[in-house]
Structures are given as structure tokens and as C-alpha cells.
């Protein structure tokens, strides 16, 4: 499972290097997320070049890593059931996003926060292994990458970034290769991860919507250095703003006229899985929202 078991990365596979690095960093504390990062890299690499001998050799080794991880995590539902795996990765990405957004809105600008924004955007990319992204995830990815570039460049130039969405003047073009911020982390990181500001162009960036009042719980999976001695047992949860539940849901009675399709049942199951995964992170807000979505779909046939 170690990243060191892979041969040198072929130049053609530069677009996936940050996903592989993220997988290496997360494989101990979040092996499920690491697995899907490597799966995304594998699928993307196959599309880029699967015929070149060097590329084929790399992909074969990466496939061996995936098989070893799948065997090791074989009893984990997040590996055996895609809907659970999708919920797990999405919730972790959201946690990273909310941590960074919380720090941003508090005016706490630092490299750890920048990296969390960028990592969240990478993990949203990883969600494409499960299918098409939701509009909300597309917006979160775009905003996270823009914020990572904007704050990084401000700090590099000795300027103080502005908190929150601000004017959104600048745009990240997703068809361009942008390196991740050069940040300290728990693993060694090469200089090739330096951000490339020249690839972040300035243009119209209006219309991005951010979750209102995005404040991460105290146990969000931030990049906390090991030396801090912080453990899950010492972290105290912070009060959360739980969304108001529609009173009509308490006495809901499904009518016999509603015909639910197999797709509707699959979506309802997905929302319930998302809620369960959110509760693992003590994220009551996300859990309630997803349960309400499932209940509305099952009782009205509409989302």
C-alpha cells in the first residue's frame, strides 16, 4: 500500500500526481479515502495513456496496490458498496472544505488551511468515480480551488487576504493543470507540489454559492500536526446549528398514488447512507438535511 512501491511517475501522468500524494498522506488515518484517490488516479491514467510501456508498467503496479488495499479493507462497506463509499469520500471532502472555510471566515490564514481547501477540491474530483458530480459539489470544487490559489498568492506577496466569498474576481480554469500549494504536512512533500500562480487567470468568478454559516465541528479532519498531542478523546464538540425540520414531516402519510421508480429508491437509500456517514463525523446538520431529502422523496415522489 505504500506509495514507495510505485515506479517513477511517467510525465504523461502529471495530472494525477497530487491524487497519489493525497492517497499516500491519508492511507493511515483514512484508508478508504486513500483507496478511492488511487482508483481515480488509475481510471484517469488509463484514459491518458494505457499503451506506452512506461505507463502500462506504472498502471500495473498501481493496480496491484489497489488490489492489496481492497483485500485489506474487504470487510468495509465503504469498499464493497459504492453508495457508502461515495458518502464517505463526500463527507470527508466536505469536512476539509468546512474546516478551511471556517478558518477563512475567521480571518485565520495559514498554509494548513490553504492545503485543506485544495485537498477538498481534489476529493471532489475523486467523487467522479461514482458518477456525475452534483451542482453543489461542482461549485464547492471551483470555490475551494479559487480560494486556495487566492490566499496562497496573497500570502506569497505579503498581502492580507479578504475573508469569505468577497468579489470572486478571478477564475480557476479546470482544464489547466494547477499544482497544489507547497505546504508542510505530516509526510515529506516534494517541491514539485508548488503552486503555479501563472495558471490561475483573472476573469469573471461571480455566481459561486457557499453554504451559509459554514462552521466546521471541532473534530473536523484538519491537518493537525502529530506533535500537538491532540487526540479524539480531548476534542470537545462545538454547538451546531441544526436545521429546522419541516413540521409537516412529523405526521406525513404517504399516499397510495405515489409510484416510486427504482431510481427513486436508490436516491433515497443514498441520502440515508449520507446521513449515516455524516453521523459518524458527528455532523448533525448534514445528517438531518439528508434524512429530510429522503423522507420528502419517499412521501412525495419528488426531490
Amino acid at each position: 500500500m505504500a506509495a514507495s512501491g510505485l515506479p517513477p511517475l511517467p510525465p504523461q501522468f502529471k495530472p494525477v500526481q497530487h491524487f497519489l500524494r493525497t492517497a499516500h498522506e491519508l492511507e493511515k488515518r483514512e484508508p478508504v479515502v486513500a483507496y478511492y484517490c488511487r482508483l481515480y488516479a488509475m481510471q484517469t491514467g488509463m484514459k491518458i495513456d494505457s499503451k506506452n510501456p512506461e505507463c502500462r508498467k506504472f498502471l500495473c503496479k498501481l493496480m496491484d496496490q489497489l488490489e492489496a488495499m481492497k483485500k485489506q479493507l474487504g470487510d468495509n462497506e465503504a469498499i464493497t458498496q459504492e453508495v457508502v463509499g461515495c458518502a464517505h469520500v463526500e463527507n470527508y471532502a466536505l469536512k476539509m472544505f468546512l474546516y478551511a472555510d471556517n478558518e477563512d471566515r475567521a480571518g485565520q490564514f495559514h498554509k494548513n488551511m490553504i492545503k485543506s481547501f485544495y485537498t477538498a477540491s481534489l476529493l471532489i474530483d475523486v467523487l467522479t468515480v461514482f458518477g456525475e458530480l452534483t451542482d453543489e459539489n461542482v461549485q464547492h470544487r471551483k470555490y475551494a480551488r479559487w480560494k486556495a490559489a487566492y490566499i496562497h498568492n496573497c500570502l506569497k506577496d505579503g498581502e492580507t487576504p479578504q475573508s469569505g466569498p468577497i468579489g470572486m474576481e478571478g477564475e480557476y480554469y479546470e482544464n489547466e493543470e494547477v499544482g497544489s500549494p507547497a505546504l508542510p504536512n505530516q509526510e515529506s512533500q516534494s517541491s514539485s507540489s508548488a503552486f503555479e500562480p501563472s495558471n490561475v487567470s483573472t476573469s469573471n468568478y461571480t455566481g459561486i454559492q457557499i453554504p451559509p454559516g459554514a462552521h466546521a465541528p471541532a473534530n473536523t479532519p484538519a491537518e493537525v500536526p502529530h506533535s500537538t498531542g491532540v487526540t479524539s478523546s480531548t476534542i470537545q464538540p462545538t454547538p451546531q446549528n441544526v436545521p429546522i425540520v419541516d413540521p409537516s414531516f412529523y405526521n406525513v402519510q404517504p399516499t397510495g398514488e405515489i409510484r416510486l421508480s427504482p431510481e427513486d429508491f436508490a436516491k433515497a437509500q443514498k441520502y440515508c447512507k449520507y446521513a449515516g456517514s455524516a453521523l459518524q463525523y458527528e455532523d448533525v446538520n448534514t445528517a438531518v438535511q439528508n434524512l429530510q431529502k429522503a423522507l420528502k422523496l419517499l412521501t412525495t415522489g419528488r426531490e
Side-chain angles (χ1 to χ4, degrees), residues 263-274:
E263 291 77 14
D264 291 331
F265 284 110
K267 287 180 180 179
Q269 182 185 38
K270 178 185 71 174
Y271 289 136
C272 291
K273 293 292 185 181
Y274 285 179

Side-chain angles (χ1 to χ4, degrees), residues 162-174:
Q162 295 185 51
S163 300
I166 59 176
M168 311 303 242
E169 296 177 355
E171 183 170 2
Y172 171 80
Y173 287 91
E174 298 190 32

Side-chain angles (χ1 to χ4, degrees), residues 35-108:
Y35 172 83
Y36 285 112
C37 284
R38 289 190 173 120
L39 181 60
Y40 174 88
M42 178 72 178
Q43 293 180 353
T44 303
M46 292 288 288
K47 295 175 183 177
I48 295 174
D49 191 339
S50 60
K51 296 181 179 180
N52 178 280
E54 184 182 10
C55 293
R56 287 183 63 86
K57 179 181 178 181
F58 185 89
L59 290 173
C60 286
K61 290 293 185 180
L62 181 56
M63 188 178 296
D64 290 342
Q65 276 195 352
L66 284 167
E67 288 299 320
M69 293 185 73
K70 191 171 184 179
K71 183 177 181 180
Q72 182 175 342
L73 303 170
D75 59 347
N76 192 316
E77 282 191 345
I79 298 298
T80 59
Q81 298 184 38
E82 282 195 356
V83 67
V84 182
C86 181
H88 187 97
V89 176
E90 185 173 34
N91 273 286
Y92 193 82
L94 181 61
K95 284 289 183 178
M96 298 294 287
F97 180 93
L98 291 180
Y99 163 74
D101 187 57
N102 189 51
E103 292 290 278
D104 175 42
R105 291 168 188 264
Q108 302 295 323

